[in-house]
Short mmCIF file of all heavy atoms in Angstrom, two decimals:
data_model
loop_
_atom_site.label_atom_id
_atom_site.label_comp_id
_atom_site.label_asym_id
_atom_site.label_seq_id
_atom_site.Cartn_x
_atom_site.Cartn_y
_atom_site.Cartn_z
N VAL A 1 10.22 -6.30 -4.88
CA VAL A 1 8.84 -6.73 -4.99
C VAL A 1 8.40 -7.28 -3.63
O VAL A 1 9.07 -8.13 -3.06
CB VAL A 1 8.69 -7.82 -6.06
CG1 VAL A 1 7.29 -8.37 -6.09
CG2 VAL A 1 9.10 -7.29 -7.41
N LEU A 2 7.32 -6.75 -3.15
CA LEU A 2 6.73 -7.25 -1.91
C LEU A 2 5.47 -8.01 -2.26
O LEU A 2 4.51 -7.42 -2.73
CB LEU A 2 6.38 -6.10 -0.97
CG LEU A 2 7.52 -5.24 -0.47
CD1 LEU A 2 6.99 -4.09 0.34
CD2 LEU A 2 8.49 -6.07 0.33
N ASP A 3 5.48 -9.30 -2.08
CA ASP A 3 4.30 -10.12 -2.34
C ASP A 3 3.70 -10.59 -1.04
O ASP A 3 4.43 -10.93 -0.10
CB ASP A 3 4.66 -11.35 -3.19
CG ASP A 3 5.00 -10.98 -4.62
OD1 ASP A 3 4.35 -10.06 -5.14
OD2 ASP A 3 5.90 -11.60 -5.18
N ASN A 4 2.39 -10.62 -1.00
CA ASN A 4 1.68 -11.14 0.16
C ASN A 4 2.15 -10.50 1.46
O ASN A 4 2.40 -11.18 2.45
CB ASN A 4 1.81 -12.66 0.24
CG ASN A 4 1.19 -13.33 -0.95
OD1 ASN A 4 0.14 -12.92 -1.41
ND2 ASN A 4 1.86 -14.34 -1.46
N VAL A 5 2.28 -9.19 1.43
CA VAL A 5 2.69 -8.47 2.63
C VAL A 5 1.50 -8.38 3.56
O VAL A 5 0.42 -7.97 3.18
CB VAL A 5 3.18 -7.04 2.27
CG1 VAL A 5 3.47 -6.25 3.52
CG2 VAL A 5 4.39 -7.12 1.38
N SER A 6 1.71 -8.81 4.79
CA SER A 6 0.64 -8.68 5.77
C SER A 6 1.11 -7.74 6.86
O SER A 6 2.26 -7.77 7.28
CB SER A 6 0.25 -10.03 6.36
OG SER A 6 1.33 -10.58 7.06
N ILE A 7 0.22 -6.90 7.27
CA ILE A 7 0.53 -5.93 8.31
C ILE A 7 -0.19 -6.37 9.57
O ILE A 7 -1.39 -6.61 9.55
CB ILE A 7 0.06 -4.52 7.89
CG1 ILE A 7 0.80 -4.10 6.63
CG2 ILE A 7 0.29 -3.52 9.01
CD1 ILE A 7 0.30 -2.81 6.04
N PRO A 8 0.54 -6.54 10.67
CA PRO A 8 -0.11 -6.95 11.93
C PRO A 8 -1.22 -5.98 12.32
O PRO A 8 -1.20 -4.81 11.96
CB PRO A 8 1.03 -6.90 12.95
CG PRO A 8 2.28 -6.95 12.15
CD PRO A 8 1.96 -6.30 10.83
N GLN A 9 -2.18 -6.49 13.05
CA GLN A 9 -3.28 -5.65 13.52
C GLN A 9 -2.74 -4.50 14.36
O GLN A 9 -1.80 -4.65 15.13
CB GLN A 9 -4.26 -6.48 14.34
CG GLN A 9 -4.98 -7.52 13.53
CD GLN A 9 -5.84 -6.89 12.46
OE1 GLN A 9 -6.53 -5.91 12.69
NE2 GLN A 9 -5.79 -7.45 11.27
N SER A 10 -3.34 -3.34 14.19
CA SER A 10 -2.86 -2.15 14.89
C SER A 10 -2.91 -2.32 16.40
O SER A 10 -2.09 -1.77 17.11
CB SER A 10 -3.66 -0.92 14.46
OG SER A 10 -5.04 -1.12 14.72
N GLU A 11 -3.86 -3.12 16.90
CA GLU A 11 -3.96 -3.32 18.34
C GLU A 11 -2.71 -4.02 18.88
O GLU A 11 -2.30 -3.82 20.01
CB GLU A 11 -5.19 -4.15 18.72
CG GLU A 11 -6.50 -3.57 18.27
CD GLU A 11 -6.83 -3.92 16.81
OE1 GLU A 11 -6.56 -5.04 16.37
OE2 GLU A 11 -7.34 -3.05 16.12
N GLN A 12 -2.11 -4.88 18.04
CA GLN A 12 -0.94 -5.63 18.48
C GLN A 12 0.28 -4.73 18.62
O GLN A 12 1.14 -4.97 19.45
CB GLN A 12 -0.62 -6.75 17.49
CG GLN A 12 -1.68 -7.82 17.44
CD GLN A 12 -1.42 -8.81 16.32
OE1 GLN A 12 -0.79 -8.49 15.32
NE2 GLN A 12 -1.91 -10.02 16.51
N LEU A 13 0.37 -3.71 17.79
CA LEU A 13 1.55 -2.87 17.78
C LEU A 13 1.31 -1.46 18.29
O LEU A 13 2.25 -0.70 18.48
CB LEU A 13 2.11 -2.79 16.35
CG LEU A 13 2.54 -4.12 15.74
CD1 LEU A 13 2.89 -3.92 14.29
CD2 LEU A 13 3.71 -4.70 16.50
N GLY A 14 0.06 -1.09 18.45
CA GLY A 14 -0.24 0.26 18.87
C GLY A 14 0.01 1.28 17.77
O GLY A 14 0.21 2.45 18.04
N THR A 15 0.00 0.82 16.52
CA THR A 15 0.28 1.69 15.38
C THR A 15 -0.78 1.46 14.31
O THR A 15 -1.22 0.33 14.09
CB THR A 15 1.67 1.36 14.79
OG1 THR A 15 2.63 1.45 15.83
CG2 THR A 15 2.05 2.32 13.70
N ASP A 16 -1.13 2.51 13.60
CA ASP A 16 -2.10 2.40 12.52
C ASP A 16 -1.49 1.64 11.34
O ASP A 16 -0.37 1.96 10.91
CB ASP A 16 -2.51 3.82 12.09
CG ASP A 16 -3.51 3.79 10.97
OD1 ASP A 16 -4.57 3.17 11.14
OD2 ASP A 16 -3.22 4.39 9.92
N PRO A 17 -2.18 0.63 10.78
CA PRO A 17 -1.64 -0.14 9.66
C PRO A 17 -1.33 0.72 8.43
O PRO A 17 -0.36 0.46 7.72
CB PRO A 17 -2.73 -1.15 9.34
CG PRO A 17 -3.62 -1.19 10.53
CD PRO A 17 -3.46 0.13 11.24
N ASP A 18 -2.14 1.75 8.18
CA ASP A 18 -1.88 2.62 7.04
C ASP A 18 -0.56 3.37 7.23
O ASP A 18 0.23 3.50 6.29
CB ASP A 18 -3.02 3.62 6.84
CG ASP A 18 -4.32 2.94 6.44
OD1 ASP A 18 -4.28 1.77 6.01
OD2 ASP A 18 -5.37 3.58 6.57
N ASP A 19 -0.31 3.85 8.45
CA ASP A 19 0.96 4.51 8.74
C ASP A 19 2.13 3.56 8.56
O ASP A 19 3.20 3.94 8.07
CB ASP A 19 0.97 5.07 10.16
CG ASP A 19 0.02 6.24 10.34
OD1 ASP A 19 -0.40 6.84 9.32
OD2 ASP A 19 -0.30 6.55 11.50
N MET A 20 1.93 2.31 8.96
CA MET A 20 2.99 1.31 8.81
C MET A 20 3.29 1.05 7.34
O MET A 20 4.45 0.90 6.96
CB MET A 20 2.59 0.01 9.52
CG MET A 20 2.56 0.15 11.03
SD MET A 20 2.02 -1.35 11.87
CE MET A 20 3.24 -2.51 11.30
N LEU A 21 2.25 1.00 6.51
CA LEU A 21 2.44 0.79 5.08
C LEU A 21 3.23 1.93 4.46
O LEU A 21 4.21 1.72 3.74
CB LEU A 21 1.09 0.62 4.37
CG LEU A 21 1.14 0.52 2.84
CD1 LEU A 21 1.98 -0.67 2.40
CD2 LEU A 21 -0.26 0.47 2.27
N ILE A 22 2.82 3.16 4.75
CA ILE A 22 3.53 4.33 4.22
C ILE A 22 4.98 4.33 4.69
O ILE A 22 5.90 4.54 3.90
CB ILE A 22 2.84 5.65 4.67
CG1 ILE A 22 1.46 5.77 4.06
CG2 ILE A 22 3.69 6.86 4.34
CD1 ILE A 22 1.46 6.06 2.58
N SER A 23 5.20 4.06 5.96
CA SER A 23 6.55 4.03 6.50
C SER A 23 7.41 2.97 5.81
O SER A 23 8.57 3.23 5.45
CB SER A 23 6.50 3.77 8.01
OG SER A 23 7.79 3.68 8.54
N ALA A 24 6.85 1.78 5.62
CA ALA A 24 7.59 0.70 4.95
C ALA A 24 7.94 1.08 3.52
O ALA A 24 9.07 0.87 3.06
CB ALA A 24 6.79 -0.59 4.98
N LEU A 25 6.99 1.67 2.81
CA LEU A 25 7.25 2.06 1.42
C LEU A 25 8.33 3.13 1.34
O LEU A 25 9.21 3.08 0.48
CB LEU A 25 5.96 2.55 0.76
CG LEU A 25 4.94 1.47 0.42
CD1 LEU A 25 3.63 2.11 -0.04
CD2 LEU A 25 5.48 0.54 -0.65
N ILE A 26 8.27 4.10 2.23
CA ILE A 26 9.28 5.16 2.23
C ILE A 26 10.65 4.58 2.59
O ILE A 26 11.66 4.93 1.99
CB ILE A 26 8.87 6.30 3.18
CG1 ILE A 26 7.67 7.04 2.58
CG2 ILE A 26 10.04 7.25 3.42
CD1 ILE A 26 7.03 8.04 3.51
N THR A 27 10.68 3.66 3.54
CA THR A 27 11.94 3.07 3.98
C THR A 27 12.62 2.29 2.86
O THR A 27 13.83 2.42 2.65
CB THR A 27 11.72 2.14 5.19
OG1 THR A 27 11.19 2.93 6.26
CG2 THR A 27 13.00 1.47 5.63
N ILE A 28 11.85 1.49 2.11
CA ILE A 28 12.47 0.68 1.06
C ILE A 28 12.64 1.46 -0.24
O ILE A 28 13.39 1.02 -1.10
CB ILE A 28 11.70 -0.63 0.81
CG1 ILE A 28 10.28 -0.36 0.34
CG2 ILE A 28 11.73 -1.51 2.03
CD1 ILE A 28 9.52 -1.60 -0.06
N ALA A 29 11.98 2.60 -0.36
CA ALA A 29 12.10 3.50 -1.52
C ALA A 29 12.09 2.75 -2.85
O ALA A 29 13.06 2.80 -3.60
CB ALA A 29 13.36 4.35 -1.38
N PRO A 30 10.99 2.08 -3.17
CA PRO A 30 10.94 1.32 -4.42
C PRO A 30 10.93 2.22 -5.65
O PRO A 30 10.51 3.38 -5.59
CB PRO A 30 9.61 0.56 -4.31
CG PRO A 30 8.76 1.43 -3.44
CD PRO A 30 9.72 2.06 -2.46
N ASN A 31 11.42 1.67 -6.77
CA ASN A 31 11.37 2.39 -8.04
C ASN A 31 9.95 2.49 -8.55
O ASN A 31 9.62 3.40 -9.29
CB ASN A 31 12.24 1.70 -9.09
CG ASN A 31 13.71 1.85 -8.78
OD1 ASN A 31 14.12 2.88 -8.26
ND2 ASN A 31 14.49 0.85 -9.08
N ARG A 32 9.13 1.51 -8.18
CA ARG A 32 7.72 1.55 -8.55
C ARG A 32 6.91 0.81 -7.51
O ARG A 32 7.41 -0.07 -6.81
CB ARG A 32 7.47 1.00 -9.94
CG ARG A 32 7.68 -0.46 -10.07
CD ARG A 32 7.47 -0.91 -11.50
NE ARG A 32 7.74 -2.33 -11.54
CZ ARG A 32 7.06 -3.18 -12.26
NH1 ARG A 32 6.10 -2.77 -13.04
NH2 ARG A 32 7.36 -4.45 -12.23
N VAL A 33 5.66 1.20 -7.41
CA VAL A 33 4.72 0.59 -6.46
C VAL A 33 3.54 0.08 -7.28
O VAL A 33 2.94 0.84 -8.05
CB VAL A 33 4.22 1.62 -5.42
CG1 VAL A 33 3.21 0.99 -4.48
CG2 VAL A 33 5.40 2.20 -4.65
N VAL A 34 3.24 -1.21 -7.15
CA VAL A 34 2.14 -1.80 -7.90
C VAL A 34 1.08 -2.28 -6.91
O VAL A 34 1.38 -3.04 -5.99
CB VAL A 34 2.63 -3.00 -8.75
CG1 VAL A 34 1.46 -3.64 -9.50
CG2 VAL A 34 3.72 -2.55 -9.72
N PHE A 35 -0.14 -1.82 -7.11
CA PHE A 35 -1.27 -2.24 -6.29
C PHE A 35 -2.18 -3.10 -7.14
O PHE A 35 -2.68 -2.65 -8.17
CB PHE A 35 -2.06 -1.04 -5.77
CG PHE A 35 -1.41 -0.32 -4.64
CD1 PHE A 35 -0.67 0.81 -4.86
CD2 PHE A 35 -1.53 -0.80 -3.34
CE1 PHE A 35 -0.06 1.48 -3.81
CE2 PHE A 35 -0.93 -0.14 -2.28
CZ PHE A 35 -0.20 1.01 -2.53
N HIS A 36 -2.41 -4.33 -6.69
CA HIS A 36 -3.38 -5.21 -7.33
C HIS A 36 -4.68 -5.08 -6.54
O HIS A 36 -4.68 -5.22 -5.32
CB HIS A 36 -2.90 -6.66 -7.31
CG HIS A 36 -1.73 -6.90 -8.18
ND1 HIS A 36 -1.85 -7.23 -9.51
CD2 HIS A 36 -0.41 -6.82 -7.93
CE1 HIS A 36 -0.65 -7.37 -10.03
NE2 HIS A 36 0.25 -7.12 -9.08
N GLY A 37 -5.76 -4.81 -7.24
CA GLY A 37 -7.05 -4.69 -6.57
C GLY A 37 -7.25 -3.36 -5.87
O GLY A 37 -8.01 -3.25 -4.92
N ALA A 38 -6.55 -2.34 -6.33
CA ALA A 38 -6.66 -1.02 -5.69
C ALA A 38 -8.09 -0.47 -5.75
O ALA A 38 -8.47 0.33 -4.91
CB ALA A 38 -5.69 -0.04 -6.33
N GLU A 39 -8.87 -0.95 -6.71
CA GLU A 39 -10.25 -0.46 -6.83
C GLU A 39 -11.08 -0.85 -5.61
O GLU A 39 -12.10 -0.25 -5.33
CB GLU A 39 -10.91 -0.96 -8.12
CG GLU A 39 -11.21 -2.44 -8.14
CD GLU A 39 -10.03 -3.32 -8.53
OE1 GLU A 39 -8.93 -2.81 -8.82
OE2 GLU A 39 -10.20 -4.55 -8.53
N ARG A 40 -10.64 -1.85 -4.87
CA ARG A 40 -11.35 -2.29 -3.67
C ARG A 40 -10.90 -1.54 -2.42
O ARG A 40 -11.51 -1.67 -1.36
CB ARG A 40 -11.15 -3.79 -3.45
CG ARG A 40 -11.73 -4.63 -4.54
CD ARG A 40 -11.52 -6.11 -4.34
NE ARG A 40 -10.52 -6.42 -3.34
CZ ARG A 40 -10.59 -7.44 -2.51
NH1 ARG A 40 -11.59 -8.26 -2.56
NH2 ARG A 40 -9.63 -7.66 -1.63
N MET A 41 -9.83 -0.79 -2.52
CA MET A 41 -9.30 -0.08 -1.35
C MET A 41 -10.30 1.00 -0.92
O MET A 41 -10.72 1.82 -1.72
CB MET A 41 -7.95 0.55 -1.66
CG MET A 41 -7.32 1.22 -0.47
SD MET A 41 -5.67 1.80 -0.81
CE MET A 41 -4.73 0.48 -0.10
N GLN A 42 -10.67 0.96 0.33
CA GLN A 42 -11.66 1.89 0.84
C GLN A 42 -11.04 3.18 1.34
O GLN A 42 -11.72 4.20 1.42
CB GLN A 42 -12.46 1.23 1.95
CG GLN A 42 -13.27 0.05 1.45
CD GLN A 42 -14.00 -0.65 2.57
OE1 GLN A 42 -13.95 -0.24 3.72
NE2 GLN A 42 -14.69 -1.72 2.24
N ASN A 43 -9.77 3.16 1.66
CA ASN A 43 -9.12 4.34 2.22
C ASN A 43 -8.51 5.18 1.09
O ASN A 43 -7.35 5.03 0.75
CB ASN A 43 -8.04 3.92 3.23
CG ASN A 43 -7.48 5.09 3.99
OD1 ASN A 43 -7.61 6.24 3.58
ND2 ASN A 43 -6.84 4.81 5.11
N THR A 44 -9.32 6.07 0.53
CA THR A 44 -8.85 6.89 -0.58
C THR A 44 -7.79 7.89 -0.12
O THR A 44 -6.92 8.26 -0.90
CB THR A 44 -10.02 7.63 -1.26
OG1 THR A 44 -10.71 8.40 -0.29
CG2 THR A 44 -10.97 6.65 -1.92
N GLU A 45 -7.84 8.30 1.14
CA GLU A 45 -6.82 9.22 1.66
C GLU A 45 -5.44 8.56 1.63
O GLU A 45 -4.44 9.18 1.28
CB GLU A 45 -7.16 9.66 3.07
CG GLU A 45 -6.15 10.64 3.63
CD GLU A 45 -6.49 11.08 5.05
OE1 GLU A 45 -7.61 10.85 5.53
OE2 GLU A 45 -5.59 11.67 5.68
N LEU A 46 -5.39 7.27 1.97
CA LEU A 46 -4.13 6.53 1.92
C LEU A 46 -3.59 6.50 0.49
O LEU A 46 -2.41 6.74 0.26
CB LEU A 46 -4.31 5.10 2.44
CG LEU A 46 -3.10 4.18 2.32
CD1 LEU A 46 -1.91 4.71 3.13
CD2 LEU A 46 -3.46 2.77 2.76
N MET A 47 -4.46 6.24 -0.48
CA MET A 47 -4.02 6.20 -1.88
C MET A 47 -3.52 7.58 -2.32
O MET A 47 -2.53 7.68 -3.05
CB MET A 47 -5.15 5.71 -2.79
CG MET A 47 -5.44 4.23 -2.64
SD MET A 47 -3.99 3.17 -2.91
CE MET A 47 -3.71 3.41 -4.63
N ARG A 48 -4.18 8.65 -1.90
CA ARG A 48 -3.73 10.00 -2.26
C ARG A 48 -2.36 10.28 -1.64
O ARG A 48 -1.50 10.89 -2.28
CB ARG A 48 -4.75 11.05 -1.80
CG ARG A 48 -5.96 11.15 -2.71
CD ARG A 48 -6.78 12.40 -2.43
NE ARG A 48 -7.28 12.45 -1.05
CZ ARG A 48 -8.43 11.93 -0.65
NH1 ARG A 48 -9.20 11.31 -1.49
NH2 ARG A 48 -8.80 12.04 0.61
N THR A 49 -2.15 9.83 -0.41
CA THR A 49 -0.86 10.03 0.25
C THR A 49 0.24 9.28 -0.49
O THR A 49 1.31 9.84 -0.76
CB THR A 49 -0.92 9.57 1.72
OG1 THR A 49 -1.92 10.32 2.40
CG2 THR A 49 0.43 9.74 2.41
N ILE A 50 -0.02 8.03 -0.81
CA ILE A 50 0.97 7.23 -1.55
C ILE A 50 1.25 7.87 -2.90
O ILE A 50 2.41 7.97 -3.33
CB ILE A 50 0.50 5.78 -1.69
CG1 ILE A 50 0.48 5.11 -0.32
CG2 ILE A 50 1.38 5.00 -2.67
CD1 ILE A 50 -0.18 3.74 -0.29
N ASP A 51 0.22 8.36 -3.57
CA ASP A 51 0.40 9.02 -4.86
C ASP A 51 1.22 10.29 -4.72
O ASP A 51 2.08 10.57 -5.55
CB ASP A 51 -0.97 9.33 -5.48
CG ASP A 51 -0.83 9.92 -6.87
OD1 ASP A 51 -0.14 9.30 -7.71
OD2 ASP A 51 -1.42 10.99 -7.12
N SER A 52 1.01 11.04 -3.65
CA SER A 52 1.77 12.28 -3.48
C SER A 52 3.24 12.00 -3.17
O SER A 52 4.12 12.76 -3.55
CB SER A 52 1.16 13.17 -2.40
OG SER A 52 1.33 12.61 -1.13
N VAL A 53 3.52 10.87 -2.51
CA VAL A 53 4.90 10.51 -2.19
C VAL A 53 5.61 9.90 -3.39
O VAL A 53 6.76 10.24 -3.69
CB VAL A 53 4.94 9.53 -0.99
CG1 VAL A 53 6.35 8.99 -0.77
CG2 VAL A 53 4.44 10.21 0.28
N PHE A 54 4.93 9.01 -4.11
CA PHE A 54 5.58 8.26 -5.19
C PHE A 54 5.21 8.72 -6.59
O PHE A 54 5.82 8.25 -7.57
CB PHE A 54 5.29 6.77 -5.02
CG PHE A 54 5.92 6.19 -3.80
CD1 PHE A 54 5.19 6.03 -2.64
CD2 PHE A 54 7.26 5.87 -3.77
CE1 PHE A 54 5.76 5.53 -1.49
CE2 PHE A 54 7.85 5.37 -2.63
CZ PHE A 54 7.11 5.20 -1.49
N GLY A 55 4.26 9.62 -6.71
CA GLY A 55 3.91 10.21 -8.00
C GLY A 55 3.74 9.21 -9.12
O GLY A 55 2.97 8.28 -9.02
N GLY A 56 4.49 9.39 -10.19
CA GLY A 56 4.36 8.57 -11.40
C GLY A 56 4.91 7.16 -11.27
O GLY A 56 4.92 6.42 -12.24
N ARG A 57 5.33 6.78 -10.09
CA ARG A 57 5.89 5.43 -9.92
C ARG A 57 4.83 4.42 -9.46
O ARG A 57 5.16 3.30 -9.11
CB ARG A 57 7.04 5.45 -8.93
CG ARG A 57 8.21 6.31 -9.42
CD ARG A 57 9.36 6.26 -8.46
NE ARG A 57 9.04 7.08 -7.29
CZ ARG A 57 9.77 7.08 -6.18
NH1 ARG A 57 10.83 6.31 -6.07
NH2 ARG A 57 9.43 7.85 -5.17
N ILE A 58 3.57 4.79 -9.49
CA ILE A 58 2.50 3.91 -9.02
C ILE A 58 1.77 3.32 -10.22
O ILE A 58 1.44 4.01 -11.18
CB ILE A 58 1.49 4.67 -8.15
CG1 ILE A 58 2.17 5.15 -6.89
CG2 ILE A 58 0.29 3.80 -7.82
CD1 ILE A 58 1.29 5.98 -6.01
N THR A 59 1.52 2.01 -10.14
CA THR A 59 0.73 1.31 -11.14
C THR A 59 -0.43 0.64 -10.43
O THR A 59 -0.23 -0.06 -9.43
CB THR A 59 1.57 0.24 -11.87
OG1 THR A 59 2.70 0.85 -12.46
CG2 THR A 59 0.75 -0.48 -12.93
N LEU A 60 -1.64 0.86 -10.93
CA LEU A 60 -2.84 0.24 -10.36
C LEU A 60 -3.30 -0.84 -11.33
O LEU A 60 -3.54 -0.57 -12.50
CB LEU A 60 -3.94 1.28 -10.15
CG LEU A 60 -3.58 2.47 -9.27
CD1 LEU A 60 -4.75 3.46 -9.23
CD2 LEU A 60 -3.18 2.04 -7.88
N LEU A 61 -3.41 -2.06 -10.83
CA LEU A 61 -3.83 -3.20 -11.64
C LEU A 61 -5.06 -3.85 -11.02
O LEU A 61 -5.29 -3.73 -9.82
CB LEU A 61 -2.69 -4.23 -11.73
CG LEU A 61 -1.41 -3.75 -12.40
CD1 LEU A 61 -0.34 -4.83 -12.30
CD2 LEU A 61 -1.66 -3.38 -13.84
N PRO A 62 -5.82 -4.58 -11.86
CA PRO A 62 -6.98 -5.29 -11.30
C PRO A 62 -6.54 -6.34 -10.30
O PRO A 62 -5.38 -6.77 -10.29
CB PRO A 62 -7.64 -5.93 -12.51
CG PRO A 62 -6.82 -5.60 -13.68
CD PRO A 62 -5.66 -4.78 -13.27
N ARG A 63 -7.47 -6.75 -9.50
CA ARG A 63 -7.20 -7.79 -8.49
C ARG A 63 -6.70 -9.06 -9.16
O ARG A 63 -7.20 -9.48 -10.19
CB ARG A 63 -8.50 -8.06 -7.73
CG ARG A 63 -8.36 -9.06 -6.64
CD ARG A 63 -9.68 -9.22 -5.94
NE ARG A 63 -9.56 -10.30 -4.98
CZ ARG A 63 -10.60 -10.93 -4.48
NH1 ARG A 63 -11.82 -10.58 -4.83
NH2 ARG A 63 -10.43 -11.90 -3.64
N LEU A 64 -5.69 -9.67 -8.54
CA LEU A 64 -5.20 -10.96 -9.03
C LEU A 64 -6.23 -12.04 -8.77
O LEU A 64 -6.81 -12.09 -7.69
CB LEU A 64 -3.89 -11.35 -8.32
CG LEU A 64 -2.68 -10.47 -8.61
CD1 LEU A 64 -1.52 -10.89 -7.71
CD2 LEU A 64 -2.27 -10.61 -10.06
N SER A 65 -6.47 -12.89 -9.75
CA SER A 65 -7.41 -13.98 -9.51
C SER A 65 -6.68 -15.13 -8.85
O SER A 65 -5.53 -15.42 -9.15
CB SER A 65 -8.05 -14.43 -10.82
OG SER A 65 -7.05 -14.73 -11.77
N THR A 66 -7.36 -15.76 -7.91
CA THR A 66 -6.74 -16.86 -7.17
C THR A 66 -7.35 -18.17 -7.54
O THR A 66 -8.39 -18.28 -8.06
CB THR A 66 -6.89 -16.65 -5.65
OG1 THR A 66 -8.26 -16.44 -5.35
CG2 THR A 66 -6.07 -15.47 -5.20
#
């Protein structure tokens, strides 16, 4: 379980944050991936990529209330 994962700004690392997220997910190879607040995600291409890699192991949940 990855909670409160923050990805450094791409300018700091010279890498796209979306690429870093995909790379991290592939590296840890989770049994399931849960997105809270996925309805707010603006990058639909990223979600399609994650879905193509992890298929039925993705769960989309509403945003956690704070």
